[in-house]
Amino acid sequence: MNERYERGWERLMKVDGEGGKGVIESLKEIAPDLGQYVIEFAFGDIYSRGELDLKQRQLVTLSALTTQGGCERQLRIHINASLNVGLTPSEIVEAIMHCVPYTGFPRVLNAIFVAKETFIERDIKVKL
Amino acid sequence: MNERYERGWERLMKVDGEGGKGVIESLKEIAPDLGQYVIEFAFGDIYSRGELDLKQRQLVTLSALTTQGGCERQLRIHINASLNVGLTPSEIVEAIMHCVPYTGFPRVLNAIFVAKETFIERDIKVKL
Amino acid sequence: MNERYERGWERLMKVDGEGGKGVIESLKEIAPDLGQYVIEFAFGDIYSRGELDLKQRQLVTLSALTTQGGCERQLRIHINASLNVGLTPSEIVEAIMHCVPYTGFPRVLNAIFVAKETFIERDIKVKL
Amino acid sequence: MNERYERGWERLMKVDGEGGKGVIESLKEIAPDLGQYVIEFAFGDIYSRGELDLKQRQLVTLSALTTQGGCERQLRIHINASLNVGLTPSEIVEAIMHCVPYTGFPRVLNAIFVAKETFIERDIKVKL
Amino acid sequence: MNERYERGWERLMKVDGEGGKGVIESLKEIAPDLGQYVIEFAFGDIYSRGELDLKQRQLVTLSALTTQGGCERQLRIHINASLNVGLTPSEIVEAIMHCVPYTGFPRVLNAIFVAKETFIERDIKVKL
Amino acid sequence: MNERYERGWERLMKVDGEGGKGVIESLKEIAPDLGQYVIEFAFGDIYSRGELDLKQRQLVTLSALTTQGGCERQLRIHINASLNVGLTPSEIVEAIMHCVPYTGFPRVLNAIFVAKETFIERDIKVKL
């Protein structure tokens, strides 16, 4: 258990929480090393860097996942993560909507529908 | 000259500055309406909304353009725009680098090379 | 209720019909402004332009959604929309198939399967 | 020289003209079979089908290439091809602009700039 | 029934097996010609070429489908196909994981989850 | 200088050679940590794994870069890398061509043209 792993695990728990833990566990019997890279590289290296705080990082992540398309599962985890680090539901919706001119309506709608389901699950109402 | 256009033009000038003006002008003889939509919709509607400030919006834009790929021209304008609204060169680099786990190295490298050229043009050194 | 909204709503109803109405309603409690932009910009501005008729516009839309990937929900709406504006089932299938050399088989197959489900729902048989 | 090849070559010449010929020739010393598949499959099979005429097919192609991104070289050929089969410059611009709500501004702008260069080369003015 | 069709069908059966047959059958009432092109072009032409053996071709296919995103249905068929032509479960997982630096974690995770389901269906355990 | 870095550097030199070194150097004044991640993660972790040999890994990489689009710079490096680890020019061309049914002609053509330039630079003739 090296330092990057420990730092990454701590960060993964703080950002993604149960959703992140679920991904790592789901990889155990097929590709445990992939889970290790998520922890060590994505969280131990990248998410542990300075210059941007966790709220700023989540804005970047939401945009990357919305734009990429076909990443609904990861979006769900990172919409929860965005709430975990302190973005408000309105800021999350706003960040996704900001992508329309760059990414087009279809992928933005797909992401908004994931946010909608996630907010319903957590019994959150967006302040309109 | 409607209200959305005026608000959009003011916002486009504040965010994209000369780069944005150049895009609108380059469309004049082929698709002036497209330039109008950039002004009215992208800037008069979306960029004029609340909830997120301009620095936050630029983080979302940088991520969308980096992730999409093949948008080097727009990245150049929005790296300049990010500087215009107050993101530091280090924050810009950091936002692009944050995309690696989501978007992969190739598109992140492409975006970093655009940042590098843009910083050289503006005689900016990234604080390492 | 401005002119763009009214024109957009009329056009949305004509093109997307119930499917489009459903999208707008599903946004009401999370991102009503996004629904407004779909109406005002996508339909009030873009879909209301001249030069191309609605059948031609649907050919462009079907190709954009097929090529983009991961937009099955929007494809379903726009396959219905294509029927609404007068494209035949065979022309819809043909437009999707025309994308193979550009977009590859997987995304074309995904789109064709959406068309298949949509035609079954509407009890439509493709003339072979 | 089989029937698909002959039909494809005839069609390639009619649609893409010199641009298409140039692609085939540029493949001669590295991947001549790829050129053969362009002729036989893309043009001998797909472009030779019925249901949609060549103008309609070009609308689909323009949308697929605009949406895909990074296909400027192919867009240039197919903007010329669209002119060859009778689409007007305004219809070509309109088809590309129609992609904005689906594909976003950046890729649409990239495609418009290719159209602009192509029209200048052919000394064509878009009627505004 | 031409030679390309026969060769393609034989190859499709060898590589994709039942999964491939299912695709062709599912196209019968909506786009049988698309099924024919899968057989004749994808398998009769491309998959029947030399220079690379079937295991090598499956590595390329797995990477293309993982990278493209939104092609879970095709991935399932080609993970089965990869087993059919002799790649081990560990090699399949490894090929998908190799895409992380290029394609990012989200699409790689999506592909790994398809592999996981496919292996469970076939009662296969990955040797870790 | 940790173990992952040393292993990654050795591997980067073996696979990418001068091209890889150039990327790392070009990042020195803007994002040296990004270069470090390329070395440590992409090469020290991923490229140093077992199950697949370097030729197999290059097939996966070529496919990922061809499919992704807009990664001509990285393709050039990895076409050279593929030669470095022992793939023949014909196998490289074949791997790229194998992507046609999945990725479509435009991105495959783009990749083939990068291969053509790379082979000319190295004075390599493809055996046809």
Side-chain angles (χ1 to χ4, degrees):
Chain A
M1 218 64 97
N2 61 53
E3 194 196 316
R4 289 169 69 237
Y5 188 95
E6 282 176 37
R7 186 175 61 229
W9 180 260
E10 178 272 330
R11 190 108 306 203
L12 178 72
M13 286 303 99
K14 184 169 179 178
V15 176
D16 284 1
E18 285 308 306
K21 207 171 168 177
V23 170
I24 305 304
E25 269 162 24
S26 71
L27 292 169
K28 259 189 188 153
E29 289 177 26
I30 182 154
D33 294 358
L34 183 58
Q36 191 186 333
Y37 297 140
V38 169
I39 294 168
E40 290 179 352
F41 178 61
F43 286 86
D45 287 345
I46 301 294
Y47 258 96
S48 297
R49 294 175 58 83
E51 292 295 342
L52 296 176
D53 63 28
L54 288 176
K55 285 200 217 179
Q56 291 173 306
R57 288 188 182 275
Q58 283 309 113
L59 293 174
V60 176
T61 300
L62 288 173
S63 173
L65 291 174
T66 296
T67 297
Q68 207 157 140
C71 299
E72 282 70 23
R73 196 195 287 245
Q74 290 79 23
L75 259 174
R76 180 180 301 268
I77 290 172
H78 276 287
I79 286 165
N80 274 304
S82 299
L83 293 167
N84 295 346
V85 304
L87 286 176
T88 67
S90 304
E91 288 170 332
I92 292 167
V93 167
E94 194 65 37
I96 296 172
M97 276 181 61
H98 183 79
C99 295
V100 168
Y102 303 104
T103 309
F105 284 100
R107 294 197 164 166
V108 164
L109 286 165
N110 286 343
I112 287 290
F113 293 140
V114 176
K116 190 178 172 183
E117 288 170 17
T118 311
F119 293 165
I120 287 172
E121 275 167 30
R122 288 176 68 152
D123 204 20
I124 286 171
K125 275 219 163 23
V126 178
K127 218 179 58 196
L128 296 177
Chain B
M1 218 64 96
N2 61 55
E3 194 196 315
R4 289 169 68 238
Y5 188 95
E6 281 175 39
R7 185 175 61 228
W9 180 259
E10 178 271 330
R11 189 108 308 202
L12 177 72
M13 285 303 100
K14 184 168 178 178
V15 176
D16 284 1
E18 286 306 306
K21 207 172 170 176
V23 171
I24 305 304
E25 269 162 25
S26 71
L27 293 169
K28 259 188 189 154
E29 289 177 27
I30 182 154
D33 295 358
L34 183 59
Q36 191 186 331
Y37 297 140
V38 169
I39 295 168
E40 290 179 352
F41 178 61
F43 286 87
D45 288 344
I46 300 295
Y47 258 97
S48 297
R49 296 174 57 82
E51 293 295 341
L52 296 177
D53 64 27
L54 288 176
K55 285 199 217 178
Q56 291 174 307
R57 288 188 183 277
Q58 283 310 113
L59 292 175
V60 176
T61 300
L62 288 173
S63 172
L65 291 173
T66 297
T67 297
Q68 207 158 140
C71 298
E72 281 70 22
R73 196 194 287 242
Q74 290 80 24
L75 259 174
R76 180 181 303 266
I77 290 173
H78 277 287
I79 286 164
N80 274 305
S82 299
L83 292 167
N84 295 345
V85 303
L87 286 176
T88 66
S90 304
E91 287 169 332
I92 292 167
V93 167
E94 193 65 37
I96 296 170
M97 275 181 62
H98 183 78
C99 295
V100 168
Y102 303 104
T103 308
F105 283 100
R107 294 198 165 165
V108 164
L109 286 165
N110 287 343
I112 287 290
F113 293 140
V114 176
K116 190 179 171 182
E117 287 170 17
T118 311
F119 293 165
I120 287 172
E121 275 166 30
R122 290 176 68 152
D123 205 18
I124 285 171
K125 275 218 163 23
V126 178
K127 217 179 61 196
L128 298 177
Chain C
M1 218 65 93
N2 61 53
E3 193 196 315
R4 289 169 68 237
Y5 188 96
E6 281 175 40
R7 185 175 59 229
W9 179 260
E10 179 269 331
R11 190 108 306 203
L12 177 71
M13 286 303 99
K14 184 168 178 178
V15 177
D16 284 1
E18 286 306 305
K21 207 171 170 179
V23 170
I24 305 304
E25 269 161 24
S26 71
L27 292 169
K28 259 190 188 153
E29 288 176 27
I30 182 152
D33 295 359
L34 183 58
Q36 192 187 331
Y37 297 140
V38 170
I39 294 167
E40 290 179 353
F41 178 61
F43 286 87
D45 287 345
I46 301 294
Y47 258 96
S48 297
R49 296 175 57 82
E51 294 295 342
L52 296 176
D53 63 28
L54 289 176
K55 284 199 217 179
Q56 291 173 307
R57 289 189 182 275
Q58 283 310 114
L59 293 175
V60 176
T61 300
L62 288 173
S63 173
L65 291 173
T66 297
T67 297
Q68 207 159 140
C71 298
E72 280 71 21
R73 195 194 288 244
Q74 290 78 25
L75 259 175
R76 179 181 304 267
I77 290 172
H78 277 286
I79 286 164
N80 274 304
S82 299
L83 293 167
N84 295 344
V85 304
L87 286 176
T88 66
S90 304
E91 287 169 332
I92 292 167
V93 167
E94 194 65 37
I96 296 171
M97 275 181 62
H98 183 78
C99 294
V100 168
Y102 303 103
T103 309
F105 283 100
R107 293 196 166 166
V108 165
L109 286 165
N110 286 343
I112 287 289
F113 293 140
V114 176
K116 190 180 171 181
E117 288 170 17
T118 311
F119 293 164
I120 288 172
E121 275 166 31
R122 290 175 68 152
D123 204 19
I124 286 172
K125 278 217 162 24
V126 178
K127 218 180 57 196
L128 297 177
Chain D
M1 218 63 95
N2 61 54
E3 192 196 315
R4 290 169 67 236
Y5 188 96
E6 280 175 40
R7 185 174 61 228
W9 179 260
E10 178 272 332
R11 190 109 305 204
L12 178 71
M13 285 304 98
K14 185 168 179 178
V15 176
D16 284 1
E18 285 307 305
K21 206 171 168 177
V23 170
I24 305 305
E25 267 161 25
S26 71
L27 292 169
K28 259 190 189 153
E29 288 177 27
I30 181 154
D33 295 357
L34 183 59
Q36 191 187 332
Y37 297 140
V38 169
I39 295 167
E40 290 179 351
F41 178 62
F43 286 86
D45 287 345
I46 300 294
Y47 258 96
S48 297
R49 294 174 59 81
E51 294 294 342
L52 297 176
D53 64 27
L54 288 176
K55 285 200 216 179
Q56 290 174 307
R57 289 189 181 276
Q58 282 311 112
L59 293 175
V60 176
T61 300
L62 288 173
S63 173
L65 291 173
T66 297
T67 297
Q68 206 157 142
C71 300
E72 281 70 21
R73 194 195 288 244
Q74 290 79 23
L75 259 174
R76 179 180 303 267
I77 290 173
H78 277 285
I79 286 164
N80 274 305
S82 299
L83 293 167
N84 295 346
V85 302
L87 287 175
T88 67
S90 304
E91 288 170 331
I92 292 167
V93 168
E94 194 65 38
I96 296 171
M97 276 181 62
H98 183 78
C99 295
V100 168
Y102 303 103
T103 309
F105 283 100
R107 293 197 165 166
V108 164
L109 286 165
N110 287 343
I112 287 290
F113 293 140
V114 176
K116 190 179 171 181
E117 288 171 16
T118 310
F119 293 165
I120 288 172
E121 275 167 29
R122 288 176 69 152
D123 204 20
I124 286 172
K125 276 219 162 21
V126 177
K127 216 179 59 195
L128 297 176
Chain E
M1 217 63 94
N2 60 54
E3 191 196 317
R4 288 170 68 238
Y5 189 95
E6 281 175 38
R7 185 174 62 229
W9 180 260
E10 178 270 331
R11 189 108 309 201
L12 178 71
M13 285 303 99
K14 183 168 179 180
V15 175
D16 284 2
E18 286 307 306
K21 206 171 169 178
V23 171
I24 304 304
E25 268 161 25
S26 71
L27 293 169
K28 261 190 188 153
E29 289 176 28
I30 182 152
D33 295 358
L34 183 59
Q36 191 186 333
Y37 297 140
V38 169
I39 294 167
E40 290 179 353
F41 178 61
F43 286 86
D45 288 344
I46 300 295
Y47 258 96
S48 297
R49 296 174 57 82
E51 291 296 341
L52 296 176
D53 64 28
L54 288 176
K55 286 199 215 179
Q56 290 173 307
R57 290 190 180 273
Q58 282 311 112
L59 293 175
V60 175
T61 299
L62 288 173
S63 173
L65 291 173
T66 296
T67 296
Q68 206 158 142
C71 298
E72 281 70 21
R73 196 195 287 244
Q74 290 78 24
L75 259 174
R76 180 181 302 269
I77 290 172
H78 277 286
I79 286 164
N80 275 305
S82 299
L83 293 167
N84 295 345
V85 303
L87 286 175
T88 67
S90 304
E91 287 170 332
I92 292 167
V93 168
E94 194 65 39
I96 296 171
M97 277 181 61
H98 183 79
C99 294
V100 168
Y102 303 103
T103 309
F105 283 101
R107 294 198 163 165
V108 164
L109 286 165
N110 286 343
I112 287 290
F113 293 140
V114 176
K116 189 179 171 182
E117 287 170 18
T118 311
F119 293 165
I120 287 172
E121 274 166 31
R122 289 176 68 152
D123 204 21
I124 286 172
K125 277 217 162 22
V126 178
K127 218 178 60 196
L128 298 177
Chain F
M1 219 61 97
N2 61 53
E3 192 195 317
R4 289 170 67 237
Y5 188 94
E6 282 176 39
R7 186 175 59 229
W9 180 259
E10 178 270 333
R11 190 110 304 205
L12 178 70
M13 285 304 99
K14 184 168 178 179
V15 176
D16 284 2
E18 285 308 305
K21 207 170 169 179
V23 170
I24 304 305
E25 266 161 26
S26 72
L27 293 169
K28 259 191 189 152
E29 287 177 26
I30 182 153
D33 295 358
L34 183 58
Q36 191 186 332
Y37 297 140
V38 169
I39 295 167
E40 289 179 353
F41 178 61
F43 286 86
D45 287 344
I46 300 294
Y47 258 96
S48 297
R49 295 174 59 81
E51 294 294 343
L52 296 176
D53 63 29
L54 288 175
K55 285 198 215 179
Q56 290 174 307
R57 289 189 180 276
Q58 283 311 113
L59 293 176
V60 176
T61 299
L62 289 172
S63 173
L65 291 173
T66 296
T67 297
Q68 207 159 140
C71 299
E72 281 70 22
R73 194 194 289 245
Q74 289 79 24
L75 259 174
R76 179 181 302 268
I77 290 172
H78 277 286
I79 286 164
N80 275 304
S82 299
L83 293 167
N84 294 345
V85 304
L87 286 175
T88 67
S90 304
E91 287 170 331
I92 292 168
V93 167
E94 194 65 38
I96 296 171
M97 277 181 62
H98 184 79
C99 294
V100 167
Y102 304 103
T103 309
F105 283 101
R107 295 197 164 164
V108 164
L109 286 165
N110 286 344
I112 287 289
F113 293 140
V114 176
K116 190 179 170 181
E117 287 170 18
T118 311
F119 293 165
I120 287 171
E121 276 167 31
R122 289 175 69 152
D123 205 18
I124 286 172
K125 276 216 163 23
V126 178
K127 217 178 59 196
L128 298 177

